């Protein structure tokens, strides 16, 4: 089974802090995604990556950056956390060919 | 109007009932995904469809490309099926997500 591991299940940070969310996958998938999920809204794509060192903006990239130095690891960075970034963050992976998505268990981030 | 519409938003049924959740979309797609999210956040991919019908256990997913419509059916529903069911459509790297259908199955 594909395993997608997110580094923290719950995280509490203060406004202005730099926040790193890590995602590691063990199945050599090319494509990795970062989403946020807020109550009443569908998943919204922040950034995705289709290869090492490659990144593309999603629908809501403002306030975020990403890093993919190795194929198995995709990091989401909040340069200066703000309260409106309080959310559930979900990492996902997928092989080429528009196949099934595999999700991590999510990180619930609270910015105070 | 959202590009992906799910109905109903909420559904409560008794154990054993046949469940249907619908997904309509307005964009051209190469594939449609059905996913399940249990309380606590974990999302599991159920089906990826580009045509026809797929079955896995008590779950059946169908898609009509001409009508831009898909349905997810659950036969002999059980309380453990209680979850949010999410439809997503897309092509290449981008998916457009429905808002989800919250299903509660009462014993």
């Amino acid at each position: 089974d594909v395993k997608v591991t997110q580094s923290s299940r719950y995280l509490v940070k203060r406004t202005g802090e730099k926040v790193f969310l890590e995602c590691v996958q063990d199945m050599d998938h090319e494509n990795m995604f970062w989403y946020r999920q807020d109550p009443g809204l569908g998943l919204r794509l922040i950034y995705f990556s289709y290869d090492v060192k490659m990144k593309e903006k999603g629908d809501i990239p403002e306030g975020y950056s990403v890093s993919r130095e190795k194929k198995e690891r995709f990091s989401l960075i909040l340069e200066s956390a703000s309260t409106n970034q309080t959310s559930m963050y979900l990492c996902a992976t997928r092989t080429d060919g528009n196949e099934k998505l595999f999700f991590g268990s999510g990180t619930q981030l609270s910015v105070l | 109007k959202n590009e992906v519409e799910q109905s109903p938003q909420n559904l409560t049924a008794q154990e054993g009932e046949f469940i249907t959740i619908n997904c309509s979309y307005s964009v051209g797609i190469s594939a449609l995904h059905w996913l399940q999210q249990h309380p606590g956040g974990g999302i599991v991919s159920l089906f990826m469809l580009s045509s026809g019908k797929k079955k896995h256990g008590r779950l059946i997913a169908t898609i009509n490309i001409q009508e831009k419509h898909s349905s997810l059916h659950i036969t002999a529903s059980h309380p453990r099926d209680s979850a949010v069911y999410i439809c997503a459509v897309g092509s290449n790297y981008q998916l457009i997500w429905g808002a989800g259908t919250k299903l509660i199955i009462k014993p």
Side-chain angles (χ1 to χ4, degrees):
Chain A
D1 280 352
V2 175
K3 191 166 185 184
V4 182
T5 303
Q6 292 185 232
S7 53
S8 305
R9 185 71 181 92
Y10 299 97
L11 209 53
V12 180
K13 295 291 181 180
R14 296 218 173 267
T15 302
E17 279 193 75
K18 191 168 185 175
V19 182
F20 292 87
L21 302 182
E22 303 284 343
C23 176
V24 178
Q25 53 112 346
D26 67 355
M27 280 300 290
D28 205 37
H29 286 176
E30 297 85 359
N31 306 304
M32 298 187 74
F33 306 81
W34 274 108
Y35 291 95
R36 64 177 281 177
Q37 185 179 35
D38 299 289
L41 299 176
L43 272 71
R44 292 183 291 168
L45 180 64
I46 305 171
Y47 268 97
F48 67 96
S49 168
Y50 53 88
D51 203 351
V52 175
K53 297 192 186 294
M54 306 303 289
K55 59 185 180 184
E56 294 287 343
K57 293 180 180 179
D59 300 317
I60 52 164
E62 297 78 18
Y64 303 94
S65 62
V66 290
S67 171
R68 193 163 180 203
E69 296 296 317
K70 293 184 178 180
K71 191 173 186 179
E72 67 270 20
R73 187 180 295 269
F74 191 35
S75 303
L76 180 68
I77 303 153
L78 287 65
E79 296 289 343
S80 178
S82 63
T83 54
N84 63 13
Q85 292 178 310
T86 291
S87 187
M88 170 68 83
Y89 290 88
L90 291 155
C91 174
T93 75
R94 196 173 75 197
T95 59
D96 274 344
N98 204 22
E99 294 297 326
K100 286 169 66 171
L101 282 161
F102 296 89
F103 280 85
S105 55
T107 296
Q108 180 62 54
L109 173 67
S110 297
V111 183
L112 306 177
Chain B
K1 190 180 188 309
N2 292 333
E3 293 170 300
V4 179
E5 297 272 1
Q6 287 187 236
S7 62
Q9 284 186 311
N10 296 281
L11 179 57
T12 300
Q14 292 295 132
E15 183 173 357
E17 285 190 44
F18 181 82
I19 303 299
T20 296
I21 298 170
N22 296 299
C23 176
S24 296
Y25 54 94
S26 58
V27 296
I29 67 169
S30 60
L32 181 144
H33 299 255
W34 280 105
L35 307 102
Q36 180 193 57
Q37 184 172 30
H38 280 287
I43 296 179
V44 175
S45 184
L46 298 174
F47 296 103
M48 195 273 292
L49 291 163
S50 53
S51 64
K53 177 178 170 178
K54 286 190 176 179
K55 184 175 189 291
H56 181 70
R58 295 180 294 106
L59 300 176
I60 304 164
T62 63
I63 187 169
N64 185 319
I65 297 293
Q66 287 72 31
E67 294 186 3
K68 295 188 174 180
H69 181 268
S70 175
S71 293
L72 177 68
H73 305 287
I74 305 175
T75 62
S77 59
H78 189 276
R80 65 175 174 267
D81 297 325
S82 297
V84 175
Y85 292 84
I86 305 169
C87 168
V89 303
S91 54
N92 299 323
Y93 301 106
Q94 293 274 28
L95 289 174
I96 306 171
W97 296 81
T101 294
K102 185 175 182 179
L103 174 65
I104 297 173
I105 304 295
K106 293 186 174 181

